[in-house]
Structure formats: structure tokens, C-alpha cells
């Protein structure tokens, strides 16, 4: 349980948070959302204890441990992947040392009837109980399971972690957090360095792991899969929604519309009262009514409409110049690092105006092929033909890290702009939300999202007929991703894109290149079609290996259920549908109760006694448990209904 009360923090004279209050339950799954720079990472830093608020308090249940994955980390170690991962069990190692120490003290003791000896025996029993609770026998298996789930191969376990890229090093940090089984998990953009398969594995892990999870992510689908509660950070305050991200977007719009309607009605009422006061102000016969209305206005709470920041980047790629019909053609393309092959004798043709997504597990060669197409790398053997009229715009996976930290935002663009584009530098930066004050900032002080926007702005300086984008959505907020996707949908050139963001890729490309074991397999369609085909193939292979038993269906001449059996089935379906509806009503009632308790816990002035006594906290925890049980029951009934149908 975490209780945040009247939290405030200010940066450069601006209120980042102003008297923010909320409560986190033991099993909450919370998505923090808001625009780049709204303060999501800052809030995680405060909750993790790495940053202190200027005012307000944060109370965490005694004994609860926190695991925190920062968006940017400097990892320095000489350990192997396995050894670094096993540092997650430092508590276990400490317990082993304490048990050994107490055992030695017991062995050296001679006065078996003394209180000191009895105390040693009690200490040993407590330590052994803690040791057993940590499930020591499954430590190695758990570590292997998590590392494999996050994309490592067994052959990687004994490699030195320093030989891996920063993205893979971050995976080890994530693995350590998951293995520690802390009561509170804080994750800042955990999917930035994961491929689609690893993201799906992480979704399943976070759905079932005990404890509270609070995460920042700009991956809609990931948020919807993991989080059942959404906290929006906007304009220095928060709004708490007991729902998934997609439902939050809908409810937020409804809330704003409702506020507008109440505001308009109140303004009309105020205008009528002012009109009455002005008309009868000087009539003694109406003096009593006038004073009554003046007092009414003084007591009136003026309705305010939530101030939502609607600023967003706004741009279009320049029309693509004419290019050759065949943009890239590979013949027996082979690439190896030292003796390890990455790409094995690839043969493919990429034609003008095709839009292709590169997908597959990390390390399968997607970025390597992009660098070869960009002519940054030479293939070990084979041939790559590039169209003579091809002009490529390239966004590297670490593009924001390639920006010069000592330059200002304006200098970054102005130094590479030529001709007429130099006159448009300020306009381009403005379209990417860099205002007059922002363009003089050093790149080193920009957030990850601001650096990503600046790197994208560089692509507007010249017209390209081929765009090659390697993970362009990392660090971008939801609105910026929507604008980028819309710009790419209107782009009339050839597009090659690497991304793990399923929602972003949906409907964007017309072909998929799947990278696996050094080869490429083509799928004609978008990411939805690809995932459907892959899931179908996975299910078919699972069925052939497991051959699950199924209950035989009563057979008649037409291999259908009998009339009596069909009636029984319809009756069961109706019964399940009624139970599901009843369960939904129960869930809605509990959610309303939780919302009311949240409001009381935030209002320390009126509910100080109940808060200090712990009564409200106990009610809140009970309601959270009731909600969790109700949701499980609803899910069970829904699955039964789906199977029945």
C-alpha cells in the first residue's frame, strides 16, 4: 500500500505537481499517462525514493520493497549475464550467511539452558522460515525462465554483460526486478527495448505476479493488457480512472463533456441572477430578494473545466521524388560478425512505394539489414543492388543518442539545413512543439521524448523517396505517435520500419518481413494479419505435440447436438449471461465504493480521524480484494460462456 498525500514539486518556477493525492492498493495495476514532460518519470522517481518532493508525504506499508526500472540507466559491470542476474537474490545470500553465522554460534555454545541459547534457536527458526519462503530450490529455474522470456538465449548466459547493447543490459535490470518479487514494481517505458514476443511474455508475467505494478508506457496495447487502472497527469494535477487505457480515453472525453454542460448551465444561472440584481438593485421593495441572490452567488462553487493540454506536433513528409521501380534487391546476401552468421543468403526485392515492417526477436538481424541497406555496413558476401535514384531518410534506433548534447535545439537543425530550409528552421521546430524558449535549450537537458521529436524533425529538412525508421516510437507520447503514424500513412514513398509497437503498426504497412534464424519470411498484410497467422501456426504446432483430450460430442446422423441437448445448452448460455450481467453490476458498485474511499483518503481535512485510525485504509483494502475476486469471477464466467458458444 502506498499513500501519497498533497505531493508538490516545482521545476524552473513551474508547478510540475501541486498538492497531488492518491492511494495505491496491494494488487493495483496502474498505468501512468500524460504528454512528454508532464512528470510521469518524475513521479516514479519520487515513489522509488530517488527524488524528494518539496511538500507532501508518501507512506509505504512497513516492510514493503520497491523495484524500479528507470528509462535511462548507466550499467557498468564485469559480470556475465547469469551472474549479474543472480545478484537479484542478494537477500537470499544474506540469509544464507546469517544462517551460517547462527549455526556456528549454536555449535560453539555450551550452556544449553541459557536464555541466549534459546534466543539463538528462535533466530535460526525465523531465518529458516524466511529462507523457505523465498523458494530457494527454484531460484535457478526462475532466473532461466525470466531471461528466456525476455529474449536471451541459453548461450548468452555466460557472455559478459558489457558486450551487449544498452537495450539488452536494460533487459537484465528488468529481469532482476522481476526476480526479486518486490511488493511494488515501478517500470518506466519497459517495452522500449523489447521485441513483440518479449512484450507478450512480459504482459503475461505482470498480469499474474503478486504486488502492485505502476508503469509508464506509450504502448496502448501493452497498457490495455496489463493495467486495470489509469492515472492521468495533466497540468500539474492527476485524474484517477478505475479502468484500462482505452476505457480511460472514452471516460475522459465523457467527463469533459459533462463538465462543459454543467459549466454552461451554471453560467446561464449566474447571468440570470446578475440580471435580476442589476434590474432591482435600487428598488426598496425588492431589497430582500436582491440580498438573497447576492449571498447565493457568494456561496456558489464555480464549476471549472479540466484544463487538458491539447498541443501536439503537426507535420507532413515532403512529397517523395521519383525513384526506380526496384529500390533494393538482395542476392544471396550474407552477413556475419566474426564467425557468427546473422543474415544467411537472403534473396528479396523491395519495390517503389511498398510499406514493409521488419519484425522478429531482438538479435535476429533487423537493424543489421537496415544498416546494410543504408550502406553503413558491408555484407560479408552476396550482392545488394540499390536503385540509382534512391534518396534515403534514416532514423536510427539510437538516433536521439546521436544528437550532440552540447548543441542547442536550434543549432541541431540549423547546422544541417541548407538553402531555403534555413528560413524554415523555426517553423519546423515549432511544428514539433519547440517554442521560443525551448529552441535555446541544450540537447543534454531534453527529455527522451523531446530528443525523439528533434530527431524526427531532422527528417523534414530534405525530400526522400525511401524512409528507413528503426524504432521511431520509442519515447514518443500517444499523441505524437498518432501524428507520426498519420504522416507515414500519407507518405507516398517507400517505407521500411522496425517497431515492436503493435498498435502503431496496425494498418500502416502492407507487407511483413519476419526475421528468424538468419532468414526472412514474407507475409502479405499488416501486423494484425501476421500475428493472426503466427498464433494459428503456434496453436497448430501445440496441438500436434500435446494432443489434448477432448470430450466427445454426442453424434447423430448430421453430427449435431440432439434437440434435447441443444435446449439444455441454450438454457446454460442464458444462465451464464445473467450471471455475467449480475457480476458486472457488482463490479460497478465496488468501483464506485473505491472511488468514494479514494476521495475520502485524499481529503485529510474532513476525514483526519478516520484516516489516522486506519479505518478508511482497511475499508479500501477490503474493497480492492472484493474487486479482484469479482473480476476473477467475471472472467471465469465469460470464459465459460465463450466456450459454451
Amino acid at each position: 500500500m502506498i499513500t501519497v498525500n498533497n505531493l508538490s514539486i516545482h521545476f524552473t518556477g513551474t508547478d510540475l505537481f501541486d498538492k497531488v493525492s492518491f492511494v495505491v492498493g496491494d494488487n493495483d495495476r496502474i498505468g501512468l499517462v500524460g504528454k512528454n514532460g508532464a512528470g510521469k518519470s518524475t513521479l516514479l522517481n519520487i515513489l522509488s525514493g530517488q527524488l524528494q518532493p518539496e511538500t507532501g508525504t508518501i507512506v509505504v506499508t512497513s516492510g514493503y520493497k520497491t523495484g524500479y526500472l528507470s528509462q535511462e540507466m548507466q550499467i557498468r559491470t564485469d559480470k556475465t549475464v547469469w551472474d549479474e542476474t543472480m545478484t537479484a537474490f542478494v537477500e537470499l545470500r544474506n540469509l544464507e550467511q546469517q544462517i551460517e553465522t547462527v549455526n556456528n554460534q549454536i555449535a560453539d555454545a555450551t550452556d544449553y539452558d541459557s536464555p541466549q541459547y534459546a534466543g539463538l534457536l528462535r533466530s535460526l527458526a525465523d531465518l529458516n522460515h524466511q529462507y523457505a519462503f523465498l523458494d530457494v530450490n527454484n531460484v535457478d529455474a526462475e532466473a532461466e525462465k525470466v531471461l528466456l522470456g525476455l529474449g536471451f538465449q541459453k548461450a548468452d548466459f555466460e557472455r559478459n554483460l558489457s558486450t551487449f547493447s544498452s537495450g539488452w543490459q536494460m533487459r537484465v535490470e528488468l529481469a532482476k526486478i522481476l526476480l526479486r518479487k518486490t511488493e511494488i514494481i515501478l517500470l518506466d517505458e519497459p517495452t522500449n527495448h523489447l521485441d513483440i514476443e518479449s512484450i507478450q511474455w512480459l504482459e503475461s508475467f505482470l498480469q499474474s505476479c503478486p504486488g502492485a505494478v505502476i508503469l509508464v508506457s506509450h504502448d496502448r496495447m501493452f497498457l490495455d493488457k496489463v493495467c486495470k487502472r489509469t492515472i492521468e497527469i495533466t497540468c500539474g494535477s492527476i485524474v484517477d480512472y478505475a479502468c484500462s487505457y482505452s476505457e480511460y480515453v472514452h471516460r475522459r472525453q465523457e467527463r469533459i463533456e459533462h463538465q462543459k454542460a454543467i459549466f454552461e448551465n451554471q453560467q446561464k444561472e449566474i447571468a440570470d441572477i446578475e440580471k435580476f440584481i442589476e434590474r432591482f438593485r435600487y428598488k426598496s421593495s425588492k431589497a430582500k430578494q436582491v440580498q438573497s441572490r447576492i449571498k447565493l452567488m457568494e456561496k456558489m462553487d464555480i464549476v471549472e473545466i479540466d484544463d487538458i493540454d491539447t498541443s501536439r506536433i503537426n507535420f507532413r513528409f515532403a512529397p517523395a521524388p521519383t525513384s526506380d521501380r526496384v529500390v533494393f534487391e538482395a542476392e544471396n546476401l550474407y552477413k556475419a560478425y566474426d564467425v557468427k552468421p546473422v543474415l544467411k543468403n537472403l534473396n528479396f526485392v523491395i519495390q517503389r512505394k511498398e510499406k514493409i515492417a521488419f519484425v522478429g526477436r531482438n538479435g535476429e538481424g533487423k537493424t543489421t539489414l537496415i544498416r546494410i541497406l543504408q550502406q553503413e555496413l558491408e555484407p560479408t558476401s552476396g550482392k545488394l543492388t540499390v536503385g540509382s535514384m534512391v534518396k534515403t531518410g534514416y532514423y536510427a534506433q539510437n538516433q536521439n543518442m546521436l544528437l550532440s548534447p552540447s548543441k542547442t535545439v536550434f543549432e541541431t537543425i540549423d547546422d544541417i539545413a541548407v538553402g531555403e530550409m534555413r528560413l524554415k528552421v523555426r517553423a519546423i521546430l515549432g511544428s514539433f512543439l519547440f517554442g521560443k524558449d525551448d529552441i535555446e535549450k541544450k540537447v543534454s537537458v531534453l527529455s527522451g521524448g523531446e530528443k525523439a521529436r528533434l530527431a524526427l524533425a531532422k527528417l523534414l529538412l530534405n525530400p526522400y523517396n525511401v524512409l528507413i525508421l528503426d524504432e521511431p516510437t520509442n519515447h514518443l507520447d500517444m499523441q505524437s505517435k498518432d501524428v507520426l503514424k498519420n504522416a507515414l500513412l500519407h507518405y507516398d514513398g517507400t517505407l521500411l520500419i522496425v517497431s515492436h509497437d503493435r498498435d502503431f503498426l496496425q494498418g500502416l504497412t502492407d507487407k511483413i518481413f519476419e526475421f528468424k534464424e538468419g532468414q526472412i519470411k514474407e507475409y502479405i498484410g499488416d501486423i494484425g494479419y501476421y500475428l493472426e497467422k503466427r498464433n494459428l501456426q503456434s496453436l497448430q504446432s501445440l496441438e500436434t505435440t500435446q494432443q489434448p483430450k477432448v470430450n466427445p460430442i454426442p453424434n447423430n446422423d448430421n453430427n449435431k447436438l440432439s434437440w434435447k441437448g441443444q435446449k439444455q445448452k441454450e438454457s446454460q448460455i442464458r444462465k451464464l449471461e445473467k450471471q455475467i450481467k449480475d457480476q458486472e453490476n457488482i463490479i460497478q458498485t465496488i468501483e464506485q465504493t473505491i472511488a468514494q474511499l479514494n476521495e475520502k483518503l485524499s481529503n485529510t481535512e474532513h476525514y483526519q480521524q478516520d484516516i489516522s485510525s486506519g479505518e478508511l485504509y482497511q475499508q479500501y483494502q477490503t474493497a480492492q480484494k472484493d474487486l479482484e475476486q469479482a473480476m476473477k469471477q467475471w472472467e471465469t464466467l465469460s470464459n465459460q460462456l465463450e466456450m459454451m458458444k
Side-chain angles (χ1 to χ4, degrees):
M1 170 76 74
I2 305 174
T3 302
V4 178
N5 188 34
N6 288 329
L7 181 73
S8 297
I9 193 166
H10 311 274
F11 285 155
T12 62
T14 304
D15 291 338
L16 194 59
F17 300 114
D18 186 27
K19 297 182 180 179
V20 166
S21 300
F22 61 93
V23 176
V24 179
D26 283 343
N27 294 298
D28 273 348
R29 297 290 186 272
I30 300 174
L32 290 182
V33 300
K35 294 178 67 66
N36 289 135
K40 302 184 295 295
S41 297
T42 300
L43 182 55
L44 288 187
N45 274 323
I46 293 173
L47 293 177
S48 68
Q50 296 190 12
L51 183 65
Q52 293 300 316
E54 295 175 10
T55 62
T57 59
I58 298 176
V59 180
V60 180
T61 301
S62 178
Y64 277 22
K65 300 181 294 295
T66 299
Y68 175 41
L69 180 72
S70 177
Q71 189 175 144
E72 296 180 358
M73 302 176 68
Q74 294 293 329
I75 302 169
R76 295 183 178 88
T77 180
D78 294 327
K79 293 184 174 69
T80 64
V81 169
W82 182 260
D83 289 342
E84 182 63 30
T85 302
M86 296 305 285
T87 62
F89 302 107
V90 62
E91 181 183 358
L92 179 65
R93 303 307 173 215
N94 290 337
L95 274 174
E96 289 174 344
Q97 291 178 1
Q98 292 177 49
I99 290 171
E100 183 180 358
T101 300
V102 174
N103 272 324
N104 290 336
Q105 291 174 348
I106 291 174
D108 294 338
T110 55
D111 190 356
Y112 304 126
D113 296 326
S114 68
Q116 291 79 8
Y117 187 79
L120 288 173
L121 293 176
R122 285 194 298 271
S123 296
L124 182 62
D126 290 341
L127 291 170
N128 281 327
H129 178 73
Q130 294 178 47
Y131 193 72
F133 178 76
L134 292 174
D135 201 10
V136 62
N137 295 324
N138 291 324
V139 163
D140 288 354
E142 282 293 313
E144 182 176 320
K145 172 186 171 184
V146 171
L147 287 174
L148 293 175
L150 291 175
F152 287 95
Q153 304 295 325
K154 287 188 177 181
D156 296 327
F157 291 178
E158 298 307 317
R159 284 179 56 190
N160 194 300
L161 185 59
S162 61
T163 64
F164 287 84
S165 68
S166 59
W168 285 95
Q169 292 176 11
M170 292 284 280
R171 292 188 187 211
V172 173
E173 290 301 306
L174 177 57
K176 287 159 60 177
I177 290 171
L178 301 181
L179 288 168
R180 287 187 187 114
K181 298 181 179 178
T182 58
E183 289 79 7
I184 302 165
I185 297 177
L186 308 175
L187 305 176
D188 195 351
E189 297 287 5
T191 64
N192 272 359
H193 304 285
L194 301 181
D195 51 55
I196 288 176
E197 292 183 22
S198 298
I199 291 173
Q200 291 175 321
W201 178 88
L202 181 61
E203 287 172 353
S204 299
F205 188 97
L206 293 177
Q207 286 168 353
S208 59
C209 73
V213 178
I214 306 175
L215 63 90
V216 174
S217 178
H218 294 132
D219 186 326
R220 282 185 180 85
M221 199 172 292
F222 182 72
L223 285 171
D224 278 339
K225 294 278 187 179
V226 176
C227 299
K228 305 303 180 187
R229 180 178 167 194
T230 304
I231 293 181
E232 178 190 24
I233 303 176
T234 176
C235 301
S237 62
I238 68 164
V239 186
D240 199 339
Y241 298 82
C243 60
S244 66
Y245 177 81
S246 294
E247 180 65 19
Y248 140 76
V249 173
H250 177 67
R251 289 192 189 180
R252 179 182 60 172
Q253 188 58 39
E254 284 186 339
R255 189 185 85 248
I256 300 301
E257 294 299 327
H258 181 64
Q259 286 178 341
K260 286 180 179 178
I262 295 176
F263 176 79
E264 289 171 359
N265 288 335
Q266 188 182 61
Q267 290 300 307
K268 184 178 182 300
E269 182 183 358
I270 290 172
D272 290 341
I273 293 173
E274 289 177 339
K275 188 175 179 180
F276 180 90
I277 293 172
E278 187 63 29
R279 181 179 178 185
F280 298 108
R281 182 186 297 274
Y282 304 107
K283 288 193 176 183
S284 57
S285 60
K286 298 287 186 179
K288 189 174 180 179
Q289 292 92 325
V290 168
Q291 288 302 315
S292 175
R293 282 165 173 75
I294 290 174
K295 290 179 181 179
L296 177 64
M297 285 188 60
E298 290 173 350
K299 293 179 181 179
M300 190 177 291
D301 291 329
I302 303 300
V303 175
E304 294 182 356
I305 300 174
D306 286 350
D307 183 14
I308 293 181
D309 186 0
T310 57
S311 58
R312 55 192 293 168
I313 61 174
N314 180 26
F315 73 99
R316 287 283 190 273
F317 291 104
T322 303
S323 69
D324 307 83
R325 185 180 64 83
V326 174
V327 178
F328 298 110
E329 183 173 4
E331 299 178 46
N332 295 321
L333 194 68
Y334 181 89
K335 178 63 181 178
Y337 292 108
D338 296 329
V339 294
K340 182 183 178 181
V342 179
L343 303 173
K344 303 175 183 177
N345 301 323
L346 303 184
N347 293 279
F348 61 82
V349 174
I350 297 175
Q351 300 190 50
R352 181 176 57 228
K353 295 192 176 183
E354 281 192 313
K355 289 182 167 61
I356 304 174
F358 289 4
V359 302
R361 296 172 68 92
N362 285 359
E364 293 286 358
K366 302 186 297 295
T367 298
T368 296
L369 179 57
I370 276 182
R371 294 182 65 192
I372 291 174
L373 297 178
Q374 183 60 15
Q375 298 178 307
E376 283 187 4
L377 283 178
E378 288 289 334
T380 305
S381 63
K383 181 181 179 183
L384 174 69
T385 303
V386 181
S388 60
M389 300 175 67
V390 166
K391 190 174 183 182
T392 303
Y394 178 40
Y395 183 99
Q397 184 174 154
N398 61 340
Q399 187 73 50
N400 57 349
M401 297 177 66
L402 298 177
L403 300 171
S404 175
S406 61
K407 289 184 177 181
T408 66
V409 171
F410 180 81
E411 290 169 345
T412 300
I413 302 298
D414 188 58
D415 288 354
I416 58 176
V418 295
E420 293 183 0
M421 294 306 295
R422 296 204 63 182
L423 303 176
K424 300 179 181 179
V425 169
R426 293 181 184 275
I428 291 173
L429 290 173
S431 68
F432 282 85
L433 302 185
F434 292 106
K436 292 180 180 179
D437 296 332
D438 297 323
I439 65 175
E440 297 305 325
K441 287 181 179 178
K442 296 286 187 181
V443 170
S444 58
V445 303
L446 299 181
S447 68
E450 288 170 328
K451 290 177 182 177
R453 296 204 309 263
L454 184 58
L456 282 173
K458 294 171 66 176
L459 291 178
L460 297 191
L461 298 179
N462 291 291
Y464 303 106
N465 48 35
V466 178
L467 285 179
I468 301 179
L469 309 179
D470 194 354
E471 301 290 7
T473 62
N474 281 357
H475 307 292
L476 289 181
D477 58 36
M478 300 290 191
Q479 287 188 337
S480 297
K481 287 200 300 185
D482 288 343
V483 174
L484 174 59
K485 181 174 181 177
N486 190 48
L488 291 174
L489 286 169
H490 287 86
Y491 174 63
D492 59 351
T494 305
L495 173 65
L496 307 178
I497 184 168
V498 177
S499 179
H500 58 255
D501 192 322
R502 294 155 292 179
D503 183 71
F504 180 77
L505 289 177
Q506 190 73 43
L508 180 59
T509 60
D510 47 38
K511 184 182 289 187
I512 302 291
F513 276 11
E514 181 191 34
F515 288 67
K516 189 174 183 180
E517 298 177 354
Q519 299 293 323
I520 287 177
K521 184 175 182 179
E522 293 188 19
Y523 292 80
I524 306 299
D526 69 356
I527 190 68
Y529 172 79
Y530 160 74
L531 290 174
E532 182 181 340
K533 293 288 288 185
R534 281 296 311 276
N535 289 339
L536 181 61
Q537 292 168 3
S538 299
L539 288 173
Q540 288 172 342
S541 64
L542 193 65
E543 288 171 0
T544 56
T545 55
Q546 290 187 347
Q547 295 180 349
K549 295 181 179 180
V550 294
N551 294 324
I553 298 175
N555 194 20
N556 57 15
D557 293 340
N558 297 318
N559 197 29
K560 294 182 179 179
L561 290 173
S562 65
W563 179 85
K564 184 177 180 180
Q566 185 65 32
K567 287 297 181 183
Q568 289 176 344
K569 179 180 176 181
E570 291 174 356
S571 176
Q572 288 176 328
I573 288 175
R574 287 194 299 271
K575 183 178 179 181
L576 282 171
E577 287 175 339
K578 184 180 183 303
Q579 289 175 335
I580 289 171
K581 187 175 180 180
D582 292 342
Q583 200 66 27
E584 287 173 347
N585 292 333
I586 292 172
I587 290 170
Q588 186 177 3
T589 302
I590 297 173
E591 285 180 339
Q592 290 172 352
T593 301
I594 291 174
Q596 292 169 0
L597 289 171
N598 264 326
E599 185 176 348
K600 290 181 179 180
L601 286 167
S602 301
N603 194 341
T604 56
E605 182 178 351
H606 291 87
Y607 299 96
Q608 181 63 46
Q609 184 176 350
D610 291 337
I611 292 175
S612 59
S613 68
E615 182 181 348
L616 281 179
Y617 293 133
Q618 188 174 0
Q619 292 177 13
Y620 183 88
Q621 285 184 314
T622 301
Q624 285 283 357
K625 290 178 182 177
D626 291 345
L627 179 61
E628 184 179 359
Q629 292 175 357
M631 290 296 293
K632 286 181 180 178
Q633 180 65 16
W634 177 85
E635 186 175 354
T636 300
L637 292 170
S638 297
N639 289 336
Q640 290 177 3
L641 179 62
E642 186 176 346
M643 292 176 65
M644 184 68 68
K645 287 185 174 181

